[in-house]
Amino acid sequence: EVLLEESGGRLVQAGESLRISCIFSGFIFEDYAIGWFRQGPGKEREGVSCMSYPAHDKYYADSVKGRFTISIDKTINTLYLQMDNLKPEDTGVYYCALERQLWGQHCLSPYSHSHWGQGTQVTVAA
């Protein structure tokens, strides 16, 4: 069974940094693409950053390029999203998700992923 559990979300001030985590289990990492998604108040869920199959190339939404960094520690089965220079528009519930053998920038589409965590709330105050 695939399990994804996000943590680390909290209230921060604009300009601050925050790192959120996703512990995963129940699948062979090398066979999957994995990524971070978010859903702001009144907005559709959107892709933030992902690592594609098979080489785990990294992709970022234009709105977060240069500010967010996706990384992974496979020794402890944990995916991270380092978020710097946070803005109020970054507010939302952040989810990690994965899908088997998802190539290239398709990993940024939330519609391409079938396994989801429960999310962690990030709130950025102006």
Side-chain angles (χ1 to χ4, degrees), residues 4-60:
L4 301 165
E5 184 174 358
E6 304 92 336
S7 63
R10 60 180 177 88
L11 173 65
V12 296
Q13 298 298 311
E16 292 185 342
S17 296
L18 182 67
R19 189 179 75 168
I20 57 177
S21 305
C22 172
I23 297 176
F24 55 85
S25 63
F27 62 98
I28 299 172
F29 179 74
E30 286 73 16
D31 289 345
Y32 283 77
I34 191 168
W36 287 101
F37 302 82
R38 68 186 180 190
Q39 188 163 13
K43 298 181 181 180
E44 292 188 1
R45 194 169 296 187
E46 62 176 349
V48 175
S49 181
C50 64
M51 301 171 72
S52 64
Y53 171 87
H56 295 114
D57 296 324
K58 299 176 182 179
Y59 296 90
Y60 296 91

Side-chain angles (χ1 to χ4, degrees), residues 69-85:
T69 303
I70 190 171
S71 64
I72 193 159
D73 186 341
K74 288 188 279 186
T75 64
I76 55 172
N77 284 3
T78 303
L79 181 74
Y80 299 104
L81 186 67
Q82 175 67 40
M83 302 182 287
D84 298 320
N85 189 23

